[in-house]
Amino acid sequence: MYDDSSYGDASDGLLSLATRAAGLAGGPVTIEDDASELITYSPGQENSDDARIATILSRRVPDRYRVLLRTEHLDERLADSSGPFYADLRGAGILPRAVMPIRAGDTVIGSIWAIVRSSPSPEQRAALEESAALLAPLLARQAERRLAADARRAAAVRALLRGGDEAVETARELPLGPGPLAVVAVRPLPSAPAAAPASGAYGSLYDGTGAGPGGPPGDPLRRALADLDRRFSAFQPGGLTAEVDGVGYAVVPVGDEQRLLRAVGELPGMAAGVGRTVPGPGRLGRSRADAELVVRLLTRLGATRERTAHIRDVQLDALLMRTVDLAVEAGHDPLGALAELEEYDRRRGTALLDSVDRYLAAGEDVRLAARQLHVHPNTLRYRLRRAQEITGLDLSDPAATFDIRLRLRLRALRLP
């Protein structure tokens, strides 16, 4: 039987465990949490590789290696394994690893990665299993403390996002940086896979019902907020991040707006909206409304345009998106007469609506639009006449063409 009483979950106790695990496994060890954040590692860089060094320097598994882990299905093997397994990654320029999940009940809460020369021996397997058993209660306690801290931070961020007197009072109790502030809203793009909910004895720790970046294991939103924390602290300390109602938020001091946008724009698989800069916490509600509108727009458009935007750069499209929502709520089709043309194209296999769109985008130049559509100008003229007959819209009337242009833009914003 093992005894964990000699190990604490302070950094020196975890370091002792990592050093012990490395000695038993016969190779350098890193210990990570469920989101691939580095917890501790064994001393010494001999028999190491770039993946281990980069993880230690950045305190997390870099994204380029996270992609490799998914490609090699190591995340799935971790989730499904109860004991150590061998990962031969030499084809990707990485030394082989013996990988041991750390579990609390049925839930993986961390992992041990030991560099080994070959598939682990029975003795190495036993050593990794013993190390994981020693680490499990320590990591569980860390997770509980982290989630408690996340909940406190989320409550503070929620108060800031409401703005007004409550935000002013809350800001006085926080290490929030001085000066102008802005809200950033972050949400996974539709194409970004969501992590599966956790289950088992510690599933409640990761059910996402509390706020704070403590969702399901490996939750991309949690990783994105951790990334934002690191990036903001590097050039503009004093910000605060949390997950609130399934959306990630950052309240940050604004010194260099362009640098802020660049930092936000580097989040993989995320849509990020930046609200207006406000003079103080009392007006953060306006910046939050902006940021939410932008992230809704970008999420709605998916991968069809940029992943990050400031409210001023997409203000018109954001307002048009709200127009679409209002029209749908009122029972109106925002396309108006163009909906009939769209249905005609769908039933007949024609392209009248796209032809009208191309014609207007070409400045009502039939020959230019025909070249872009790869059809004869007379073919395009026929399509335009048919479109006018079906809709009753006069393409020679400036008011009508303005109406059509607006509704065509609404059509683009009606994407799911």
Side-chain angles (χ1 to χ4, degrees):
M1 291 291 291
Y2 59 84
D3 177 13
D4 70 347
S5 60
S6 61
Y7 296 100
D9 49 351
S11 58
D12 54 347
L14 290 168
L15 176 61
S16 296
L17 273 174
T19 303
R20 181 178 187 275
L24 293 173
V29 160
T30 55
I31 299 172
E32 303 162 11
D33 70 8
D34 59 287
S36 296
E37 300 286 329
L38 182 68
I39 295 174
T40 189
Y41 59 96
S42 61
Q45 299 305 327
E46 61 277 2
N47 302 319
S48 190
D49 59 14
D50 288 341
R52 171 180 160 88
I53 294 171
T55 297
I56 292 171
L57 290 176
S58 61
R59 306 298 300 178
R60 63 189 288 270
V61 179
D63 288 333
R64 63 183 181 277
Y65 294 118
R66 285 284 301 169
V67 171
L68 174 64
L69 298 184
R70 287 193 296 270
T71 302
E72 297 293 329
H73 304 289
L74 296 186
D75 286 356
E76 297 174 16
R77 294 180 69 183
L78 260 177
D80 295 337
S81 298
S82 58
F85 60 89
Y86 180 62
D88 189 347
L89 303 172
R90 283 174 291 191
I94 299 174
L95 293 174
R97 299 298 202 269
V99 187
M100 177 68 205
I102 303 170
R103 291 182 173 273
D106 294 332
T107 302
V108 175
I109 59 173
S111 55
I112 304 171
W113 297 72
I115 295 179
V116 293
R117 294 184 178 182
S118 59
S119 183
S121 66
E123 293 78 13
Q124 287 174 313
R125 293 177 61 86
L128 289 169
E129 289 171 350
E130 180 182 342
S131 297
L134 288 168
L135 283 160
L138 309 185
L139 266 61
R141 289 196 291 270
Q142 280 198 346
E144 289 171 347
R145 287 198 296 269
R146 185 193 71 222
L147 290 176
D150 288 346
R152 291 192 296 271
R153 183 172 62 249
V157 169
R158 193 186 296 270
L160 290 173
L161 295 176
R162 284 193 283 264
D165 293 341
E166 183 182 9
V168 173
E169 289 297 322
T170 300
R172 290 177 181 149
E173 303 172 3
L174 296 172
L176 190 63
L181 302 168
V183 174
V184 178
V186 180
R187 179 178 287 173
L189 285 165
S191 58
S199 60
Y202 280 79
S204 60
L205 291 178
Y206 304 104
D207 63 5
T209 54
D219 181 3
L221 186 55
R222 174 181 159 192
R223 288 176 58 81
L225 291 177
D227 277 351
L228 282 180
D229 273 333
R230 276 186 289 269
R231 291 171 183 177
F232 291 154
S233 63
F235 70 91
Q236 191 69 54
L240 206 61
T241 64
E243 181 186 338
V244 177
D245 301 328
V247 179
Y249 291 95
V251 178
V252 292
V254 180
D256 185 336
E257 195 173 82
Q258 291 306 310
R259 196 169 183 183
L260 167 64
L261 287 169
R262 286 195 299 272
V264 173
E266 295 170 357
L267 297 174
M270 292 285 151
V274 182
R276 75 187 76 179
T277 299
V278 295
R283 298 188 184 181
L284 279 171
R286 292 184 177 182
S287 188
R288 175 194 184 172
D290 290 343
E292 289 175 344
L293 197 58
V294 175
V295 83
R296 272 191 62 217
L297 173 67
L298 298 180
T299 304
R300 192 167 188 164
L301 296 176
T304 62
R305 62 180 299 166
E306 65 271 13
R307 298 179 304 181
T308 302
H310 192 284
I311 182 61
R312 66 166 175 268
D313 299 322
V314 295
Q315 190 169 32
L316 180 58
D317 279 352
L319 292 174
L320 290 176
M321 182 186 67
R322 295 185 66 182
T323 301
V324 171
D325 294 339
L326 291 172
V328 172
E329 288 174 11
H332 300 303
D333 191 320
L335 290 187
L338 296 188
E340 187 177 352
L341 193 58
E342 188 175 53
E343 176 62 18
Y344 180 92
D345 282 337
R346 188 189 65 78
R347 286 188 285 105
R348 302 291 184 90
T350 54
L352 301 183
L353 185 54
D354 286 340
S355 296
V356 171
D357 192 357
R358 181 71 69 174
Y359 167 70
L360 294 177
E364 302 180 36
D365 184 327
V366 170
R367 293 188 177 278
L368 174 59
R371 284 198 302 272
Q372 293 172 344
L373 289 167
H374 306 291
V375 299
H376 193 277
N378 287 340
T379 300
L380 178 57
R381 291 188 182 98
Y382 169 77
R383 292 180 181 180
L384 297 177
R385 285 197 302 271
R386 285 294 296 140
Q388 291 181 99
E389 291 168 1
I390 293 168
T391 62
L393 297 172
D394 183 0
L395 292 176
S396 66
D397 179 0
T401 57
F402 176 80
D403 180 270
I404 295 170
R405 290 175 192 271
L406 180 60
R407 293 184 188 276
L408 285 170
R409 188 60 192 157
L410 293 180
R411 180 188 180 218
L413 298 177
R414 202 173 57 167
L415 295 172

